[in-house]
Amino acid sequence: MPTRRSLALALLLAPALAACGSGGSSTGSTGASSSSSSSSSSSSDSATGSSTSSSSASSSAPKPSGTITVYNAQHEGLTKEWVDGFTKATGVKVVMRNGDDTEMANQIVAEGAKSPADVFLTENSPSMSLVENKGLFAKIDPATLAQVPADYRPGTGMWTGIGARSTVFVYNKSKLKPNQMPASIMDLAKPEWKGRWGASPSGADFQAIVSAMLQLKGKDATLAWLKAMQTNVKTYKGNTSVLKAVNAGQVDGGVIFHYYYFGDQAKNGGANSNNVGSYYFKKQDPGAFVSVSGGGVLKSSKNPVAAQAFVKYITSKAGQEVLKNGTSFEYPVGSGVTPNAKLVPLAELQAPKVDPATLNGPEVVNLMQEAGLL
Amino acid sequence: MLSVQDVTKTLAGQQVLRGVSFDVPAGSVAAVVGPSGCGKTTLLRCIAGFETPTSGTVTIDGREVSGAATVPPHKRGVGYVAQDGALFPHLTVKGNVGFGLPRRDRTPGRIASLLEAVSLDPALASRRPHELSGGQQQRVALARAIALRPKVMLLDEPFSALDTGLRARTRESIGAVLRDAGITTVLVTHDQAEALSFADQVAVMSGGSFRQVGAPTQLYTEAIDLDTARFLGETIELSGVVSGSTAHTAFGDLPVVATEPGEAVIMLRPSQVRLVRASGAAAATVSRIEDQGDHQHVILAADGVPELLVDVPSWDVPQPGERVSLSVSGAAIAYPGSPAHA
Amino acid sequence: MAVVLSLCVAALSLLPLVYVARATEQTGVGAMARLIFRGRVRELLGNTVQLVGVAVPLCLVIGIGAALAVERVRLPLRGLAAALLAAPLAVPAFVNSYAWATVWPGIGGLRGAVLISVLSYYPFVYIPVLAALRRLDPAVEESARSLGLSGPAVVWRVVLPQLRLPALGGALLVAVHLLAEYGAFAFVRFDTFTTAIYDQYRTTFAGPAAAALSAVLVLLCLLLLVLEAGTRGRERYERIGGGAAARVRPVRLGAGGIPVALGILAVLGAALGVPAWSLTTWLTARGGEWTAELPTIVWTTLRFSLLAGLLTTVAALPLAWLSVRRPGRWTRALEGTTFVATSLPGIVVALALVTLSLDLLPAVYQTSTLLVFAYAVLFLPRALVTVRAGLAQAPRRLEEIAMSLGCPRWLALVRVTIPILAPALLGSIALAFLGAAGELSATLLLAPTGTDTLATRFWSLSNELDYAGAAPYALLLVVLSLPMTYLLYRQSREDG
């Protein structure tokens, strides 16, 4: 175990250093990085003897077993439910490493073939594209793809949608009346909205929304909008903080995803959302963008059988019903499962058509840096 | 007992010791005296084994401890008392004194007798070093060092941090303890009076080597050169010409220890000179008197030479203008050459 | 031996800087200039400079004022107040921030950031100043009084100048911490270089922008170090012995004591009362959510922090040894390198270690070994300062005396140097422990997969605004830190 190793290291170093003035000791330790080179603990120790080649296992593959590591950028609670259900059904142990979309995507890219990750789950599509473009994903099992309609997964089949969330304009009910809503998300760039709306531009969620805008309106319009936003917006860290600020009346409204409101209602009794209304832009507006959460299996996985099985489980009826019945309030996308009854049905949201595989995360970051938002 | 032969030591490119040799007979006390930076502490550290000489040998009780083989400090049986005592701040007096003793010997009785040996109240045993006065700290340090009955005791300016009255008393009591125990001792100091009064044998050191080694009286009366003479005490210096055992000076003819004839600086110790009223050519004139209370400075003038200052008791003082000559007990010492200063 | 080990430690602690330099080089001068000379960076620079400029003087005022009050004014429960005033050290800045966001939801901007910074960091000034106050020679003040100075004038002209060294040292620590603080400012919507670097990291992982911002931060830190060295002058080490020092008797202020007491109560209320009240509120809100994984997380936190304390202290030893036993220009430069490297925020150190370990030593990637190593890099300066002060109390002469008393070299170390050094070693372990237990950004990035510490779990829960769920973690973090804080406080009282 790694911890035991570092303890041993500290103990080894202690006498060596204590005697350093004597010139007698000959311990040549050079600090922690020179410690033993036995294999990393987090990579799974169970290759289970199955093929480790990158081509996907056929559907008649052996039973999944052993351990997998999931790089999870989804909400921790939601993935925990999937993990618990999957482990119960298959006996496969799942270790989760939590982070944000872009952070983990870039981490996987940096790790390359050495990545300890078997499965990558995100909240939004751009980060999946990032990993896919580096050629680090293995093809998703066709049986899994068959569970998800083509609208909610890229044509390449290198990853699949596992859920969806809609952009929403949350507003403080005592500050804005329903007839005072912006007609389009593009209107929030107008001077009359200066200082009145909030967002979390450093988060992947908001960047996904901008990436849809980039796709629909082009680079120049998007940059102009971002520059106007820089003067208009009050920035927060995280969508929950935006929701809270709107509820408290610090700003009139905010651009976030739909489920934060429902989550707060269910988990906190509306402490941060009881004064909040949800307004959907609809009409194929960039602000009506529905973002697809993705799941993929890493080519470098040492346990592809279990990794494929996990993604298959998430998109199965059992996995998708977690979205319907749990407290995540995200939209199910597979196996014909309907969303939670409290949500506006997906079809009524009139979302613009955007292929999730085409969303360009790095370009959005460049534009936002240019606009001074990052 | 302790023998140092031709020891040299180079520290950071500087030659600090340039071939030092001396022998200290068993049970006797030697002092090394010299200005700060002359290498005396380095010599002590070489004897203790804290430093290894670049060349030369150190022998203790017939055993060579530096030279062909090096014996580490803890196996030399050498006690060491540093300038400020260097008590262990984390231990009580008891813990300090018993530090070198085997565990079973660290009994209250043993500690008490060691403290008594250095004239300390055994009730201090449970105090911490910072609760002691400077003199007490010094004695604890000595008690700690003698507890092991070392063959050789090294004292590195142990009295210099104490004020004058305390210094003399501490020095006397420590000297007595060491002599009674028959411990061969080397004291290092920059205070010549301390060296002369404390030791059986004194070595005068300067620039990394010994100028002169000898008994205190011998050194005082027969200093090998003028610098050594000045370092060891006050001098009266006048220029003269030596022939045989007489020096001819502007203040009269004086008896000298016979040396080469010719021009020389004639050195007298103030205590060997008296003024007698005289007349004739070989006499000086009293130019003025400076009242010092317990004694008087008499300033003498003679033709063509600098004035001369002589101390006389306050009861028999010549008057300005009187003619006097110098009466000398024993003999003056003549150092060839002309006087270095006017 | 000590030289070789010190060089190794210094070289290892410079690794993050190597990474920043490499990233900077790969980005190219033109691209770097574009990333640095833009409005956003100017804004961040303004924020950071304002924060340091306002919070550090306030920390000095409160730290010195509180120390003077409890040491020199006769107040009821003086001893208790003195100990409690050190206790905010056990409350991580982000817990403080969370507590204040609870009682004052609108808290934000520079005001909020300054409030949190001052309340969390003034003990860095208070503790050393208090220790120095107790060591001052009353004779100096008495002679000043005899020269006709009034009480306040003595404080101003005699006492305060003597407190310059510890106060400046504390101020430097506060400033460096503020440059690298992340968690605390996320709650109060205040962007500094470090929060922006974190955002950059989240959007671009190891991107050039993060490296560019870190380079600016390194320069800021160098500037601080130069400033501090310039105002510090020549440092003196104390010598042992010299008789028992008397203590200055506290003065009775009469009615004038009431505002002093109220001031102390205000500081304690803001720095301890608010966190206590907020935590109690959240813990009782849903009956407290003491989940089954808590013991595991507590154990992980303890283990990582203790290992960090040990490794950091051990790594500081050779450098401290050189600095005390063989002082010189080279030694000072070597010490300086550790300070510069560790002025980088945890996130940059972590990013560097991720990149370097993947390139050079994949076996340690995502292991606790690498995490503990990162802690050691981050907290080396505070360990170094502590161990160095301890070693200065154990001069070489004492070992020599021990050897002349029959102890071989190693036994002299064991019986003399180490016991004298022990309080400082413990203090160093405690300081690094406190740092590691409250460390957030490097832990998030480097911890082994599936491992949570109290800080990271608190962070992910409070990020979702699940304040009630986060409360037990905050409470346990404070509880774990309290004994270490008390140890440091005790040690500062016994020095000298």
Side-chain angles (χ1 to χ4, degrees):
Chain A
M1 292 304 287
T3 21
R4 219 170 288 149
R5 198 154 67 225
S6 51
L7 175 61
L9 183 75
L11 293 177
L12 261 176
L13 272 170
L17 293 187
C20 58
S22 71
S25 168
S26 62
T27 316
S29 50
T30 53
S33 63
S34 72
S35 76
S36 105
S37 57
S38 71
S39 79
S40 159
S41 73
S42 46
S43 59
S44 82
D45 12 320
S46 52
T48 63
S50 67
S51 155
T52 53
S53 80
S54 56
S55 65
S56 71
S58 76
S59 45
S60 63
K63 246 172 76 76
S65 62
T67 307
I68 55 171
T69 297
V70 173
Y71 273 27
N72 174 47
Q74 254 295 352
H75 289 268
E76 209 180 318
L78 171 59
T79 306
K80 192 88 185 28
E81 281 190 73
W82 279 329
V83 164
D84 290 345
F86 176 65
T87 303
K88 206 170 170 191
T90 61
V92 174
K93 196 169 166 271
V94 180
V95 187
M96 273 163 69
R97 184 174 191 87
N98 299 304
D100 293 339
D101 279 11
T102 339
E103 164 190 350
M104 301 209 100
N106 281 298
Q107 187 169 0
I108 289 171
V109 171
E111 289 164 357
K114 293 169 212 155
S115 179
D118 297 292
V119 173
F120 181 33
L121 302 181
T122 64
E123 294 195 49
N124 301 288
S125 311
S127 292
M128 297 307 285
S129 307
L130 190 71
V131 175
E132 179 184 349
N133 291 340
K134 295 282 178 184
L136 296 171
F137 276 139
K139 261 201 169 3
I140 294 290
D141 198 325
T144 306
L145 293 179
Q147 296 182 139
V148 182
D151 278 358
Y152 299 113
R153 57 182 165 83
T156 55
M158 299 306 284
W159 53 275
T160 177
I162 56 171
R165 58 271 297 287
S166 171
T167 312
V168 69
F169 183 74
V170 287
Y171 61 95
N172 185 296
K173 286 191 281 194
S174 51
K175 293 209 158 195
L176 286 182
K177 298 280 153 285
N179 59 353
Q180 294 170 305
M181 296 299 148
S184 161
I185 193 172
M186 305 309 282
D187 292 349
L188 291 173
K190 291 181 178 168
E192 69 236 40
W193 283 98
K194 182 165 181 183
R196 289 172 60 203
W197 65 288
S200 171
S202 61
D205 290 356
F206 189 80
Q207 288 167 18
I209 297 170
V210 178
S211 71
M213 185 185 292
L214 178 65
Q215 199 63 31
L216 295 163
K217 299 276 176 180
K219 185 178 163 186
D220 294 343
T222 305
L223 182 59
W225 187 84
L226 286 170
K227 282 182 171 165
M229 168 182 171
Q230 207 274 334
T231 41
N232 280 3
V233 81
K234 274 194 170 177
T235 60
Y236 294 86
K237 299 242 182 279
N239 287 337
T240 324
S241 301
V242 176
L243 180 69
K244 192 180 169 196
V246 170
N247 187 57
Q250 290 172 25
V251 281
D252 296 355
V255 175
I256 58 175
F257 281 149
H258 74 278
Y259 57 86
Y260 290 93
Y261 169 84
F262 297 100
D264 187 66
Q265 289 285 324
K267 283 184 278 190
N268 294 337
N272 298 315
S273 62
N274 276 342
N275 295 329
V276 170
S278 293
Y279 167 76
Y280 296 90
F281 290 102
K282 302 190 177 174
K283 293 176 281 190
Q284 283 78 41
D285 190 75
F289 172 62
V290 169
S291 182
V292 173
S293 304
V297 173
L298 274 296
K299 207 194 258 183
S300 55
S301 167
K302 295 190 184 65
N303 192 356
V305 175
Q308 291 285 357
F310 183 53
V311 177
K312 187 174 180 186
Y313 171 81
I314 291 173
T315 49
S316 72
K317 190 158 179 295
Q320 293 293 296
E321 275 175 350
V322 168
L323 295 173
K324 178 183 182 177
N325 303 325
T327 53
S328 73
F329 295 99
E330 297 192 40
Y331 288 99
V333 294
S335 302
V337 177
T338 54
N340 188 299
K342 288 180 181 157
L343 304 186
V344 182
L346 263 179
E348 289 175 28
L349 289 174
Q350 302 167 19
K353 257 225 164 326
V354 180
D355 182 352
T358 61
L359 297 177
N360 190 342
E363 176 68 7
V364 166
V365 169
N366 284 340
L367 292 177
M368 290 178 74
Q369 272 177 0
E370 202 177 329
L373 282 162
L374 288 176
Chain B
M1 176 62 197
L2 169 67
S3 171
V4 174
Q5 292 304 321
D6 214 21
V7 162
T8 66
K9 175 70 185 174
T10 306
L11 280 174
Q14 291 271 353
Q15 197 168 4
V16 186
L17 295 178
R18 305 164 182 267
V20 173
S21 302
F22 76 130
D23 289 287
V24 186
S28 74
V29 175
V32 176
V33 63
S36 52
C38 72
K40 54 191 191 298
T41 295
T42 306
L43 173 63
L44 215 57
R45 293 170 58 79
C46 283
I47 300 171
F50 303 150
E51 305 278 359
T52 308
T54 309
S55 68
T57 60
V58 176
T59 310
I60 293 171
D61 207 7
R63 172 169 168 237
E64 195 169 291
V65 293
S66 284
T70 302
V71 176
H74 62 279
K75 291 186 176 154
R76 293 193 176 195
V78 170
Y80 194 98
V81 177
Q83 194 163 348
D84 61 358
L87 297 185
F88 301 126
H90 62 300
L91 298 176
T92 57
V93 167
K94 194 167 28 183
N96 267 284
V97 172
F99 188 90
L101 294 172
R103 203 169 289 274
R104 60 176 185 283
D105 289 351
R106 293 177 209 163
T107 58
R110 183 73 187 277
I111 304 292
S113 71
L114 282 165
L115 288 176
E116 276 162 0
V118 295
S119 323
L120 277 179
D121 183 352
L124 296 178
S126 48
R127 294 260 184 102
R128 291 262 174 179
H130 65 86
E131 297 168 314
L132 301 177
S133 72
Q136 288 170 328
Q137 291 189 14
Q138 214 54 260
R139 286 181 220 208
V140 173
L142 184 73
R144 177 175 70 181
I146 61 174
L148 289 177
R149 302 191 186 288
K151 284 171 268 187
V152 174
M153 178 69 76
L154 305 174
L155 307 175
D156 185 4
E157 307 225 16
F159 314 117
S160 64
L162 309 180
D163 55 41
T164 324
L166 188 59
R167 183 189 295 185
R169 257 180 292 136
T170 312
R171 185 166 66 210
E172 276 160 30
S173 67
I174 285 181
V177 169
L178 292 169
R179 272 177 229 275
D180 291 351
I183 297 173
T184 309
T185 301
V186 179
L187 166 77
V188 149
T189 178
H190 64 267
D191 179 343
Q192 88 289 348
E194 184 167 289
L196 294 172
S197 65
F198 190 74
D200 306 317
Q201 183 189 199
V202 175
V204 180
M205 194 168 191
S206 116
S209 56
F210 285 163
R211 297 289 269 280
Q212 192 173 6
V213 182
T217 323
Q218 183 194 358
L219 253 64
Y220 189 71
T221 58
E222 298 167 30
I224 196 165
D225 54 31
L226 199 50
D227 284 340
T228 308
R230 286 176 186 155
F231 183 74
L232 289 174
E234 282 193 51
T235 58
I236 296 172
E237 295 165 27
L238 52 168
S239 55
V241 177
V242 178
S243 68
S245 57
T246 306
H248 308 285
T249 77
F251 299 92
D253 290 350
L254 305 174
V256 293
V257 179
T259 46
E260 284 174 44
E263 255 189 58
V265 177
I266 313 301
M267 189 282 289
L268 292 158
R269 292 297 179 185
S271 53
Q272 70 184 125
V273 175
R274 275 185 313 120
L275 290 182
V276 290
R277 290 185 178 80
S279 56
T285 308
V286 174
S287 80
R288 60 184 193 280
I289 309 289
E290 289 171 359
D291 189 347
Q292 304 294 312
D294 63 336
H295 66 281
Q296 308 289 316
H297 284 166
V298 177
I299 289 102
L300 304 178
D303 292 338
V305 293
E307 292 181 327
L308 188 71
L309 188 155
V310 179
D311 289 347
V312 303
S314 294
W315 289 272
D316 187 15
V317 186
Q319 293 304 305
E322 261 188 274
R323 302 278 290 169
V324 294
S325 63
L326 305 179
S327 159
V328 174
S329 323
I333 304 179
Y335 300 105
S338 2
H341 58 86
Chain C
M1 182 72 182
V3 177
V4 174
L5 284 171
S6 303
L7 284 174
C8 290
V9 170
L12 285 173
S13 71
L14 276 179
L15 280 180
L17 220 54
V18 171
Y19 159 79
V20 170
R22 210 172 65 168
T24 310
E25 189 213 323
Q26 282 168 356
T27 312
V29 178
M32 278 294 283
R34 268 199 305 285
L35 281 167
I36 290 176
F37 298 106
R38 58 194 178 107
R40 175 78 176 145
V41 173
R42 241 192 334 270
E43 188 188 318
L44 292 173
L45 186 64
N47 278 354
T48 308
V49 168
Q50 278 182 53
L51 175 71
V52 171
V54 177
V56 170
L58 277 175
C59 281
L60 279 172
V61 169
I62 292 186
I64 296 176
L68 278 173
V70 295
E71 188 61 28
R72 292 302 175 81
V73 180
R74 202 174 286 190
L75 294 169
L77 299 174
R78 211 158 56 97
L80 182 67
L84 281 180
L85 279 166
L89 207 58
V91 184
F94 56 82
V95 172
N96 216 340
S97 189
Y98 148 94
W100 274 90
T102 301
V103 299
W104 180 11
I107 187 175
L110 182 65
R111 262 191 323 169
V114 166
L115 176 76
I116 300 300
S117 307
V118 171
L119 291 179
S120 301
Y121 289 125
Y122 82 84
F124 280 125
V125 175
Y126 167 77
I127 290 180
V129 166
L130 186 67
L133 258 180
R134 295 176 65 104
R135 286 195 293 263
L136 292 187
D137 185 355
V140 177
E141 285 168 58
E142 281 156 13
S143 26
R145 288 306 285 264
S146 75
L147 292 170
L149 263 62
S150 67
V154 169
V155 169
W156 184 250
R157 289 181 52 194
V158 178
V159 177
L160 286 183
Q162 294 187 80
L163 298 177
R164 205 177 55 146
L165 275 185
L168 274 175
L172 178 70
L173 261 184
V174 174
V176 172
H177 271 85
L178 289 183
L179 286 186
E181 175 62 57
Y182 167 67
F185 302 145
F187 281 103
V188 295
R189 268 185 10 94
F190 186 74
D191 280 336
T192 66
F193 268 101
T194 299
T195 61
I197 289 171
Y198 197 79
D199 288 346
Q200 288 293 349
Y201 152 72
R202 290 205 305 169
T203 50
T204 59
F205 192 67
L213 290 172
S214 330
V216 177
L217 202 56
V218 170
L219 288 182
L220 271 183
C221 202
L222 273 175
L223 193 74
L224 274 179
L225 281 174
V226 169
L227 261 179
E228 196 262 353
T231 45
R232 182 175 52 169
R234 286 188 171 276
E235 194 168 346
R236 286 173 290 116
Y237 290 126
E238 287 171 69
R239 47 174 241 114
I240 50 161
R247 295 265 308 279
V248 178
R249 302 259 306 271
V251 297
R252 203 188 286 279
L253 283 185
I258 293 171
V260 174
L262 287 180
I264 291 180
L265 280 180
V267 171
L268 286 178
L272 295 176
V274 168
W277 190 85
S278 295
L279 282 178
T280 316
T281 309
W282 289 120
L283 284 172
T284 48
R286 274 190 269 153
E289 299 192 349
W290 304 89
T291 55
E293 55 181 357
L294 256 174
T296 321
I297 295 179
V298 168
W299 169 234
T300 307
T301 309
L302 259 179
R303 201 180 45 179
F304 285 174
S305 307
L306 277 175
L307 282 171
L310 280 173
L311 182 68
T312 313
T313 303
V314 164
L317 263 172
L319 280 168
W321 187 276
L322 273 194
S323 138
V324 174
R325 297 282 171 102
R326 288 193 224 164
R329 201 159 6 130
W330 282 106
T331 313
R332 261 207 308 279
L334 217 55
E335 273 181 78
T337 57
T338 66
F339 269 86
V340 175
T342 52
S343 64
L344 292 170
I347 186 75
V348 176
V349 171
L351 273 178
L353 292 180
V354 164
T355 313
L356 292 169
S357 68
L358 279 171
D359 283 359
L360 306 172
L361 207 65
V364 298
Y365 180 62
Q366 288 184 0
T367 62
S368 46
T369 306
L370 195 65
L371 179 61
V372 171
F373 177 73
Y375 288 149
V377 169
L378 282 170
F379 305 124
L380 191 57
R382 40 169 109 182
L384 183 56
V385 169
T386 318
V387 175
R388 190 177 58 192
L391 255 183
Q393 313 258 359
R396 188 195 191 101
R397 297 177 297 124
L398 294 182
E399 278 159 43
E400 290 174 353
I401 295 288
M403 285 193 283
S404 80
L405 293 169
C407 284
R409 176 72 193 243
W410 66 269
L411 194 58
L413 283 173
V414 170
R415 286 186 63 192
V416 176
T417 309
I418 291 177
I420 295 175
L421 195 54
L425 291 180
L426 273 181
S428 157
I429 291 174
L431 269 177
F433 179 100
L434 286 176
E439 212 289 333
L440 201 55
S441 43
T443 314
L444 285 170
L445 203 56
L446 294 173
T449 300
T451 314
D452 268 312
T453 66
L454 288 170
T456 60
R457 183 49 66 91
F458 168 83
W459 186 245
S460 57
L461 287 168
S462 61
N463 251 350
E464 307 266 330
L465 296 196
D466 186 358
Y467 280 13
Y473 299 95
L475 178 72
L476 284 167
L477 195 51
V478 173
V479 167
L480 281 192
S481 302
L482 269 175
M484 294 295 174
T485 305
Y486 185 66
L487 197 150
L488 282 172
Y489 171 75
R490 280 291 302 275
Q491 194 207 330
S492 81
R493 309 236 81 179
E494 280 165 9
D495 268 357

